[in-house]
């Protein structure tokens, strides 16, 4: 992975360790289920250690804002990569996802997208990456409505 011109330490690969006491969060609030950094697909190297044997979650950027239970229902026990199929330069995404799948014994792939038409591109990229990887891995696509409800 290339370093960013600014040398941003925010792009360094990290595993986020959680203790059992962190599960409920402070004062009964839900705790984050995120266990790795970075999450932005452009920044995730296909060789990141936390990808090995992972259940991969590919999330369209808007989904966590619309779906209130995103951490509990989707991030928990998964490794997250996120992107926007409409606003990002998605040209490298299929190959990058295929490399992640090919090199890491991915156990399953879940894609979360919004119900809007432009988000369907994220699901198509995941399907193409799976085909390109040559592996048969379970794929689930979850569609979230703009009102926050799960459609599928």
């Amino acid at each position: 992975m290339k370093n960013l011109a600014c040398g941003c330490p925010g792009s360094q690969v990290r595993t986020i360790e959680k203790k059992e006491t962190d599960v409920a969060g402070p004062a009964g609030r839900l705790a984050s289920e995120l266990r790795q950094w970075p999450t932005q697909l452009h920044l995730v190297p296909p060789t990141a250690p936390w990808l090995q044997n992972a259940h991969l979650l590919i999330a369209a950027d808007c989904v966590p804002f619309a779906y209130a239970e995103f951490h509990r229902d989707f991030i928990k026990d998964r490794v997250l990569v996120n992107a926007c199929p409409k606003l990002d330069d998605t040209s490298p995404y299929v190959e990058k996802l295929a490399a992640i799948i090919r090199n890491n014994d991915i156990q399953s792939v879940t894609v979360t997208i919004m119900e809007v038409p432009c988000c369907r591109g994220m699901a198509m990229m995941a399907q193409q990456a799976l085909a390109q990887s040559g592996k048969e891995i379970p794929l689930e696509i979850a569609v979230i409505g703009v009102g926050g409800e799960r459609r599928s």
Side-chain angles (χ1 to χ4, degrees):
M1 182 174 105
K2 294 178 183 176
N3 288 331
L4 298 177
C6 64
C8 177
S11 62
Q12 291 178 328
V13 173
R14 302 179 214 178
T15 298
I16 302 169
E17 301 292 334
K18 301 284 184 174
K19 301 175 194 155
E20 285 299 316
T21 56
D22 296 335
V23 174
R29 296 175 59 96
L30 293 178
S32 172
E33 294 292 344
L34 187 64
R35 299 293 184 264
Q36 97 286 339
W37 188 263
T39 64
Q40 178 49 246
L41 186 54
H42 273 295
L43 300 176
V44 173
T47 57
W50 30 261
L51 288 166
Q52 193 56 240
N53 298 311
H55 292 273
L56 182 63
L57 171 61
I58 304 168
D61 285 348
C62 294
V63 173
F65 296 103
Y67 191 72
E69 296 289 337
F70 186 74
H71 278 254
R72 189 186 326 219
D73 291 355
F74 292 110
I75 297 179
K76 185 174 178 56
D77 299 323
R78 293 185 178 100
V79 168
L80 169 68
V81 297
N82 64 284
C84 177
K86 181 174 183 173
L87 301 177
D88 291 357
D89 170 12
T90 61
S91 56
Y93 284 173
V94 171
E95 177 51 43
K96 185 169 228 181
L97 289 168
I100 287 171
I101 295 165
R102 233 186 344 264
N103 298 325
N104 292 289
D105 294 322
I106 298 298
Q107 303 298 301
S108 67
V109 176
T110 302
V111 182
T112 58
I113 60 173
M114 297 298 297
E115 68 181 332
V116 295
C118 54
C119 240
R120 300 273 177 211
M122 186 67 71
M124 289 188 308
M125 284 182 268
Q127 290 167 329
Q128 290 170 356
L130 274 168
Q132 198 175 88
S133 76
K135 293 187 176 181
E136 290 191 30
I137 297 172
L139 171 66
E140 175 190 0
I141 298 171
V143 180
I144 306 300
V146 294
E149 67 283 358
R150 187 168 178 174
R151 299 276 175 148
S152 66

